[in-house]
Amino acid sequence: MVENLLGAVRAALGRWLTAEDKRGNAGERVQSYEIRFTTETQLSLRASVGEYGFAYLENALGDELKAALRAEAAAQSGNAHSAIESRAIPYKARIADLGDDALSFLRSPSIMQLLNALFEEPLTLSEDASCYTFYGPGDFLSLHRDRPIECAATLI
């Protein structure tokens, strides 16, 4: 059932987010983020979030952005610390602060525009509730909602 759901959401939404490299004024490479979505895609996203509580977007990030985020996550993993909770929300993992690439992506006007279109309210990054999470053998996460007071939506 889950595979059918994901397949249907993938088929309905397709590709909506691309990352482009552009040259800055001094010729340095500057990562920019551009979101392109039609009214139909926006409605499909809203419907999916409303019905299932999430929307899945296949090929959401361009290859260069994915490579930058992977490299940053790998670098940040060296600074990750153990996070273990056994009471309210059982989990065991390692977490690390976001780096410049992830923060720039999550703060970008395009992400803000997409979230506003989906939820019909202005949403911004909650830096203190955002991190890289690393799972290894024996690590786990139980059913939960990320910081319900600080987080109206979660972008993974």
Side-chain angles (χ1 to χ4, degrees):
M1 180 175 166
V2 172
E3 284 303 314
N4 291 341
L5 169 64
L6 290 177
V9 173
R10 284 184 200 133
L13 300 179
R15 186 179 188 138
W16 63 271
L17 177 65
T18 60
E20 297 178 356
D21 281 328
K22 296 184 179 179
R23 297 280 174 184
N25 293 336
E28 73 277 7
R29 293 180 72 79
V30 176
Q31 189 78 260
S32 67
Y33 312 100
E34 182 180 348
I35 296 173
R36 298 178 205 152
F37 57 92
T38 65
T39 301
E40 181 182 354
T41 300
Q42 177 181 329
L43 293 173
S44 293
L45 286 166
R46 275 192 202 157
S48 179
V49 169
E51 187 170 349
Y52 306 111
F54 74 94
Y56 175 81
L57 302 168
E58 187 173 5
N59 298 317
L61 305 178
D63 291 339
E64 290 190 37
L65 177 57
K66 284 190 284 190
L69 292 172
R70 280 187 193 120
E72 182 176 87
Q76 294 296 89
S77 70
N79 298 323
H81 63 276
S82 293
I84 301 172
E85 176 63 55
S86 59
R87 292 172 292 208
I89 303 170
Y91 65 88
K92 180 177 180 254
R94 292 176 37 243
I95 60 173
D97 291 336
L98 297 179
D100 292 338
D101 288 320
L103 288 171
S104 294
F105 170 65
L106 293 171
R107 289 178 184 146
S108 71
S110 294
I111 293 295
M112 302 305 159
Q113 179 185 22
L114 175 66
L115 293 174
N116 189 33
L118 291 179
F119 297 100
E120 298 180 310
E121 65 179 293
L123 300 174
T124 59
L125 173 65
S126 297
E127 286 188 44
D128 62 333
S130 301
C131 65
Y132 282 115
T133 305
F134 305 94
Y135 297 96
D139 291 344
F140 63 92
L141 177 64
S142 65
L143 182 63
H144 73 288
R145 180 172 172 210
D146 290 346
R147 297 195 184 184
I149 294 172
E150 297 97 338
C151 300
T154 299
L155 183 64
I156 299 176

